[in-house]
Amino acid sequence: MKLLLVAIILFSSLWVTGCSGNTFNAGKDTAVVSKNEFPPSIPGVVKVNNTKHEMVAGGYKWEREQGSETQVVQTDAASPYQIGEDFKAITLEQNQKITIEIEENPELVVYLWNKDGREKEITLNENQITAPASKGRYIFEVLAKWTNGEVSYTFVAEVK
């Protein structure tokens, strides 16, 4: 009977100690914890005159190795043009610089959209693009690619 009691106390002690390790991680920076999510949630912003504006994430695809298998999560979303129709535009001056910021420095490609789809690729230089010289409303897609996934982000600019 004493042996059973000792075993229960020992097991309970180990169980409480093991569970408390997970609680310890709860206070860590959420950016570090979110990297363990699958699929991860990585926000993207554009910065104009030191003001950050959040982009809207659309479709994405992520892969990860899970033992001997590969898990893939892929979503479809409205096109950037459809997303941008009801999106509040960022007011810009003609030829103003726009900086794109996304965690973990993915490879970026930027496209200008119209109702028929991607109109053209926009030149990106050190994570910056230049607003169009003509006045109007513009819908941009930022396609971010990491080694294990990609996300399409949308933002809208109104050039005054």
Side-chain angles (χ1 to χ4, degrees), residues 81-136:
Y81 185 82
Q82 292 168 320
I83 292 170
E85 285 182 317
D86 297 321
F87 198 77
K88 183 180 178 199
I90 302 166
T91 303
L92 300 173
E93 298 297 322
Q94 296 168 328
N95 299 312
Q96 189 168 14
K97 296 291 183 192
I98 304 164
T99 303
I100 299 167
E101 296 180 351
I102 302 174
E103 289 180 23
E104 300 191 25
N105 300 317
E107 176 187 327
L108 300 175
V109 181
V110 180
Y111 298 99
L112 180 62
W113 273 73
N114 63 33
K115 65 182 177 187
D116 297 322
R118 287 179 176 160
E119 185 175 322
K120 66 178 181 176
E121 186 173 334
I122 304 298
T123 303
L124 186 67
N125 186 13
E126 296 183 17
N127 288 1
Q128 285 191 334
I129 62 172
T130 303
S134 301
K135 294 179 181 182

Side-chain angles (χ1 to χ4, degrees), residues 41-80:
S41 176
I42 302 176
V45 298
V46 291
K47 191 165 81 172
V48 179
N49 291 336
N50 293 320
T51 301
K52 292 184 178 185
H53 305 273
E54 191 166 340
M55 294 186 284
V56 174
Y60 60 84
K61 179 181 178 182
W62 289 100
E63 296 180 10
R64 77 172 173 183
E65 299 298 321
Q66 200 65 351
S68 62
E69 297 180 13
T70 301
Q71 284 185 312
V72 178
V73 175
Q74 185 169 356
T75 64
D76 193 17
S79 73

